Amino acid sequence: MSTTYPPVIAPSVLAANHANLAEGMRTINASGVPWVHLDIMDGHFVPNLSFGPQVVADLRPLGTQYFDTHLMLDNPHKYVEAFAKAGSQNITVHVEPEYPIMETLDHIRALGCDAGICINPGTPVEALLPYLEKVQLVLLMSVQPGFGGQSFRREVLGKIATLDGWRKARGLSLRIEVDGGINADTGRECREAGADTFVCGTAFFKAPDKRAFVEAICG
Ligand code: DX5
Ligand code: ZN
């Protein structure tokens, strides 16, 4: 029997003011959402740089949210321990780079964290099949990773529905997360397709009423 998870918003601090991420955490605390999404970029796997384990460690005491960490790295296996020590609770790695994926997922679990696996828009959903029994979360990119503020790519809706079908058919306990261009409308569409976890950067931090924004997707 697959587990159904309550819908949740994960604000991405990539969209906050990087000269004042503490203020970003205060905004998230005030909104009452239980998750934070942390985008880690290496300038290789994606054409951008963000922040590392030290920033995660410094954000950790500023909130009680579940730290959902998205590693957009060519060599994620070299950094999972540092992020686990910094306070990450979920660590998600991509299938596209060349590295020992299975061993890395086992290592993430051995560090006491939940493990997530992620695919880019151009990667078929079947690429996830070898890893479904090993993870607590699957992240489907609805933009090409590297930047916030991009437009939502609708082809992810078919992937969500396929994955949700596998989840039900195999009785898998995993969350289906979408990331990129998620706002009240696209979030709702993804939820109707079967997703339960919604990364929101620009739309969350720009929303005049954060609680109404959350309600629009999760209500
Ligand atoms: C992009 C990141 C996303 C991004 C989402 O590579 O993985 O998490 O911050 O930002 P928005 O919601 O603005 O598309
Ligand atoms: Zn992300």
Side-chain angles (χ1 to χ4, degrees), residues 1 14 16-17 28 43 46 48 52 59 89 94 105 108 118 136-137 162 164 167 169 209:
M1 176 72 183
L14 191 73
N17 175 347
I28 294 172
V46 291
N48 197 3
L59 292 174
Q89 283 142 302
H94 275 257
L105 295 173
I108 292 169
C118 181
Q136 289 65 55
L137 177 145
T162 301
D164 188 40
R167 176 170 63 176
D209 181 337

Side-chain angles (χ1 to χ4, degrees), residues 12 14-15 37 39 41 46 70 72 141 143-150 179-182 199-203:
S12 167
L14 191 73
H37 185 78
D39 286 308
M41 301 177 178
V46 291
H70 178 191
M72 289 163 274
M141 293 304 300
V143 297
Q144 191 60 27
F147 301 92
Q150 300 182 73
D179 185 7
I182 301 297
V199 176
C200 300
T202 311

Side-chain angles (χ1 to χ4, degrees), residues 21-37:
L21 288 177
E23 177 59 34
M25 284 299 293
R26 281 191 287 276
T27 301
I28 294 172
N29 290 339
S31 76
V33 297
W35 281 42
V36 169
H37 185 78

